[in-house]
Amino acid sequence: MTDVRQQVLDHVDAHPGVHYNGLVRELDIAAGQAQYHLRRLLDARKVDVEKIQGRTHYFTDGYDGWERRTIALLRRETARHVIVYTLESDGASAMELADELDLARSTVSWHVSTLVEAGVAEKYYDSKGRAHLRLTRPTETRTLLDAVTPALSDRLVDRFTRLVDASFHG
């Protein structure tokens, strides 16, 4: 294995769920070089991939599908905030999430749908018909939460989205 390929593999192993652009930036390698080595690692089954909402995240072996999806979402700042609040509140309503996290309801709705679609959370309805969110595997989610932090690029995208939301809904 070449030095660069080993460097890519080591980075993916140390940063599970790393996004392609993050890998290129953090390793300071050319995009084409990263594509080439990732393709080779994928072909050799040394790296797994998880695609969520148009972003590709890379993992070494040892993570099941749910863990890969959860880690990928925990790398996104706003999704992470929704997950943390839901963990702490044990059944947050969409209105609570919007108010407590200072997000537009449409943003909350998008993140809730993404979490439900990924199997990280589920919706349920209270006796008044209000939708609430709870995590499907809270103990495992808490463990993964401690191991993963959002990348700078993901935080900046999320903050830009929040700024745009605030200008239209604030």
Side-chain angles (χ1 to χ4, degrees), residues 53-68:
Q53 298 294 336
R55 292 187 188 170
T56 303
H57 300 267
Y58 296 93
F59 298 85
T60 51
D61 197 27
Y63 297 94
D64 67 28
W66 179 87
E67 290 170 323
R68 288 192 309 266

Side-chain angles (χ1 to χ4, degrees), residues 51 55 93 120 130 152:
K51 294 181 181 184
R55 292 187 188 170
S93 72
V120 175
R130 291 181 297 211
L152 175 62

Side-chain angles (χ1 to χ4, degrees), residues 18-76:
V18 65
H19 182 263
Y20 172 78
N21 290 335
L23 183 126
V24 169
R25 185 180 46 262
E26 292 162 18
L27 292 181
D28 194 27
I29 60 177
Q33 193 177 22
Q35 284 178 331
Y36 173 79
H37 289 293
L38 284 167
R39 192 174 321 114
R40 293 292 197 130
L41 290 167
L42 284 163
D43 290 345
R45 298 179 187 235
K46 300 232 182 232
V47 172
D48 290 321
V49 67
E50 190 70 39
K51 294 181 181 184
I52 295 185
Q53 298 294 336
R55 292 187 188 170
T56 303
H57 300 267
Y58 296 93
F59 298 85
T60 51
D61 197 27
Y63 297 94
D64 67 28
W66 179 87
E67 290 170 323
R68 288 192 309 266
R69 291 186 304 275
T70 302
I71 289 169
L73 290 166
L74 286 171
R75 287 202 168 276
R76 301 175 189 191

Side-chain angles (χ1 to χ4, degrees), residues 150-169:
L152 175 62
S153 59
D154 292 330
R155 291 194 320 257
L156 292 174
V157 168
D158 282 346
R159 289 177 187 182
F160 177 75
T161 302
R162 292 175 101 167
L163 180 65
V164 170
D165 277 350
S167 67
F168 286 109
H169 302 287

Side-chain angles (χ1 to χ4, degrees), residues 143-155:
T143 300
L144 294 175
L145 184 63
D146 293 337
V148 177
T149 56
L152 175 62
S153 59
D154 292 330
R155 291 194 320 257

